[in-house]
């Protein structure tokens, strides 16, 4: 009776102990999740305060010869992409980067815009998915994905026959020992045969194992994204088409990925020396599983690129939906299909703090397509060009824009803002300017459905050539009816309005000199030509008085 009491008590205590352990694990996982959520939401606060975030900055996507991304500070630390990006996977990062840097049909942009609006309404679901992936970001911005594994080594011939022979021999040996009374040493026969087969297939199994090693986490994360995505119901055409892409040819993406995950886990059973020896010597464990993995790649690998691309586009949509939720006062743009249109109300730069941001109204449409902006140094000309450009980039990505109202037609943009010399190419600033201008003008001559944002043309040459060259370029743009916003200190360029009154409109940013002879800027754009400049005041501050001459 005493032993029975001890046994029952021990059993009950064991049950209680197991329950406590399970409760602890559950609470630990919950605590980890909530701490991750806290870190992620602190990152959102940091982003709103324009402090560096935890997500990828897009450094690898910088292309100095791109039509606009370098001038618009799209990629790199503190850039537009860094501010928006909430992607945890490499394909997500690449999808978002392509939406901010490539051209897409207007219909696709509008469908994407509708999808972003719908996902923004699923804020809780998006946040849960982001929390799930936040701690396991996949650093695969350059790495190829699963389809590339099968290119390295073919599946050995007759491998299925060897497996059948091995299992048949093992069954016959066991039957002989158990039922016919043969010596137990007979079991060594299939062991020797399996050792030979394992040796022959060693290169194949090692290659498959090596290439699959470390991808379990990647598979797990993509499986989480796609499983969560499949569980949701959407109404927008863009997202419904994405969900259909996961079920093409009657192949379910999540079930297929789960199958590979299961095979990968089983392959890891043989990593233990003793267990691995038993499994491989008696059951050809590695050979059998690597063959099944190879068959999986033969069947599903061509489709994985599409599946992962869906996961990437979903993350990009979530990133842009998060931008809407962070800035509910921003608006979605309206696209106009009747001629060239660009009209913004209270248009501001999204990467300038709201407390410091100065917004402007601006219209560029109709026949007057050349807008020349004059103004002194630091008055806001270049920032205004970037404000226009960045909001156009956001609009064409399908996102909200930093404006009260924004109407535009579907056009390309090309910029000319930051030109430097290159030691690597052994080219001067002026020669790089000429190359950049040639690219812009050649493109505009072929297709004038483009907006040019040009800042201080031909700055690398003398004043006389600069003025003549700038006016010649402006005449060329007028002759080809190419819309352009040109910021300049060159008043001769603004004076061209007298010769082209229907083609040119002048704007300027002003400078205010107070009673203490100090400069102030209001950063508000105005009609006309600037008549106040600040170079002499700036020089005077460093001890150089140009009035002495």
């Amino acid at each position: 009776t005493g032993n029975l009491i001890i046994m029952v008590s021990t059993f009950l205590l064991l049950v209680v102990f197991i329950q406590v352990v399970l409760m602890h694990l559950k609470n630990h996982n919950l605590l980890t999740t909530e701490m991750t959520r806290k870190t992620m939401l602190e990152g959102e606060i940091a982003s709103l305060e324009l402090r560096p975030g935890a997500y990828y900055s897009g450094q690898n996507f910088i292309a100095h010869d791109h039509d606009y991304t370098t001038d618009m500070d799209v990629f790199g630390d503190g850039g537009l992409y860094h501010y928006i990006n909430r992607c945890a996977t490499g394909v997500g990062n690449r999808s978002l980067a392509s939406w901010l840097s490539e051209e897409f049909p207007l219909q696709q942009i509008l469908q994407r815009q509708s999808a972003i609006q719908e996902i923004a309404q699923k804020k809780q679901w998006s946040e849960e998915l982001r929390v799930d992936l936040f701690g396991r970001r996949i650093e695969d911005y350059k790495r190829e994905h699963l389809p590339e594994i099968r290119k390295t080594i073919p599946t050995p011939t007759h491998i299925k026959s060897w497996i059948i022979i091995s299992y048949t021999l093992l069954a016959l040996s066991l039957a002989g020992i158990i039922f016919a009374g043969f010596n137990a040493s007979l079991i060594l026969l299939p062991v020797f045969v399996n050792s030979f087969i394992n040796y022959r297939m060693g290169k194949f199994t090692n290659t498959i194992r090596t290439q699959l090693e470390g991808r379990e986490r990647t598979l797990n994360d993509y499986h989480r994204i796609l499983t969560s995505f499949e569980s949701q119901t959407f109404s927008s055409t863009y997202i419904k088409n994405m969900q259909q892409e996961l079920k093409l040819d009657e192949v379910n993406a999540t079930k297929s990925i789960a199958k590979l995950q299961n095979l990968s886990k089983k392959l890891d059973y043989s990593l233990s020396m003793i267990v691995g020896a038993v499994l491989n010597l008696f059951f050809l464990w590695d050979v059998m599983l690597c063959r099944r993995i190879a068959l999986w790649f033969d069947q599903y690998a061509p489709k994985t690129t599409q599946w992962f691309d869906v996961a990437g586009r979903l993350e990009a949509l979530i990133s842009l939906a998060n931008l809407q939720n962070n800035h509910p006062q921003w608006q979605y743009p309206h696209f106009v299909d009747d001629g060239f249109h660009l009209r913004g109300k209270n248009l501001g730069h999204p990467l300038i703090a709201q407390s410091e941001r100065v917004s402007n109204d601006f219209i560029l449409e109709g026949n007057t397509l050349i807008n020349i902006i004059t103004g002194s140094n630091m008055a806001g000309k270049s920032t205004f060009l970037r404000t226009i450009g960045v909001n156009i980039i956001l609009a064409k990505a399908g996102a909200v824009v930093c404006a009260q109202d924004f109407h535009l037609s579907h056009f390309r943009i090309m910029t000319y803002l930051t030109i430097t010399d290159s030691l690597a190419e052994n080219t001067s600033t002026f020669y790089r300017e000429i190359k950049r201008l040639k690219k812009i003008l050649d493109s505009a001559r072929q297709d004038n459905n483009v907006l040019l944002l040009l800042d201080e043309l031909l700055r690398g040459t003398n004043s006389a050539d600069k003025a003549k060259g700038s006016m010649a370029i402006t005449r060329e743009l007028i002759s080809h009816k190419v819309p352009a916003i040109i910021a300049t200190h060159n008043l001769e360029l603004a004076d061209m309005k007298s010769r082209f009154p229907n083609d040119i409109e002048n704007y300027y940013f002003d400078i205010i000199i107070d009673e203490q002879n100090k400069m102030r800027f209001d950063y508000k754009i105005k009609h006309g030509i600037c008549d106040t400049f600040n170079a002499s005041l700036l020089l005077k501050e460093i001890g150089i008085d140009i009035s002495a001459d």
Side-chain angles (χ1 to χ4, degrees), residues 263-315:
L263 292 173
S264 179
K265 288 178 182 178
K266 289 180 178 179
L267 187 62
D268 288 343
Y269 294 168
S270 63
L271 291 176
S272 170
M273 183 177 295
I274 297 175
V275 175
V278 173
L279 291 175
N280 284 313
L281 290 177
F282 287 95
F283 304 106
L284 286 181
W285 190 258
D286 286 359
V287 174
M288 179 185 65
L289 285 172
C290 286
R291 173 182 173 272
R292 292 175 64 185
I293 291 171
L295 291 175
W296 188 97
F297 280 109
D298 287 337
Q299 184 175 359
Y300 299 115
K303 298 179 176 65
T304 54
T305 299
Q306 183 174 2
W307 297 342
F308 292 168
D309 181 62
V310 169
R313 279 180 278 154
L314 175 62
E315 279 206 294

Side-chain angles (χ1 to χ4, degrees), residues 41-60:
L41 294 177
E42 286 174 344
E44 291 298 329
I45 295 172
S47 176
L48 290 171
E49 295 174 350
L50 299 177
R51 290 184 281 122
Y55 288 95
Y56 181 53
S57 68
Q59 192 71 28
N60 288 339

Side-chain angles (χ1 to χ4, degrees), residues 20-79:
V20 170
V21 170
L22 293 176
M23 288 171 59
H24 166 74
L25 291 175
K26 181 179 179 180
N27 289 335
H28 177 74
N29 291 336
L30 182 61
L31 178 62
T32 300
T33 299
E34 294 310 311
M35 291 301 293
T36 302
R37 189 189 311 277
K38 178 175 179 289
T39 301
M40 189 186 78
L41 294 177
E42 286 174 344
E44 291 298 329
I45 295 172
S47 176
L48 290 171
E49 295 174 350
L50 299 177
R51 290 184 281 122
Y55 288 95
Y56 181 53
S57 68
Q59 192 71 28
N60 288 339
F61 303 125
I62 294 176
H64 294 290
D65 60 345
H66 192 272
D67 285 350
Y68 57 82
T69 55
T70 300
D71 284 342
M72 293 293 107
D73 299 318
V74 174
F75 301 116
D77 292 339

Side-chain angles (χ1 to χ4, degrees), residues 37 39 49 58 148 160 180 183 193 197 250 261 271 275 330 381 385 422 455 487 502 509 512:
R37 189 189 311 277
T39 301
E49 295 174 350
E148 297 301 310
K160 184 178 180 180
N183 191 294
V193 172
I197 296 173
E250 299 183 352
Q261 285 180 282
L271 291 176
V275 175
W330 293 8
K381 301 188 304 298
L385 293 183
S422 172
D455 188 11
N502 297 322
F509 283 93
I512 302 170

Side-chain angles (χ1 to χ4, degrees), residues 1 35 94 110 139 157 165 194 236 241 254 288 335-336 356 390 427 432 479 511 514 521 526 541:
T1 303
M35 291 301 293
R94 284 192 285 272
L110 295 175
E139 305 288 340
T157 56
I165 291 171
N194 288 351
S236 67
N241 288 341
T254 52
M288 179 185 65
F335 283 90
V336 181
E356 302 174 8
V390 166
T427 55
R432 286 174 68 86
S479 67
I511 178 175
D514 61 20
F521 303 98
K526 305 173 182 68
E541 287 187 4

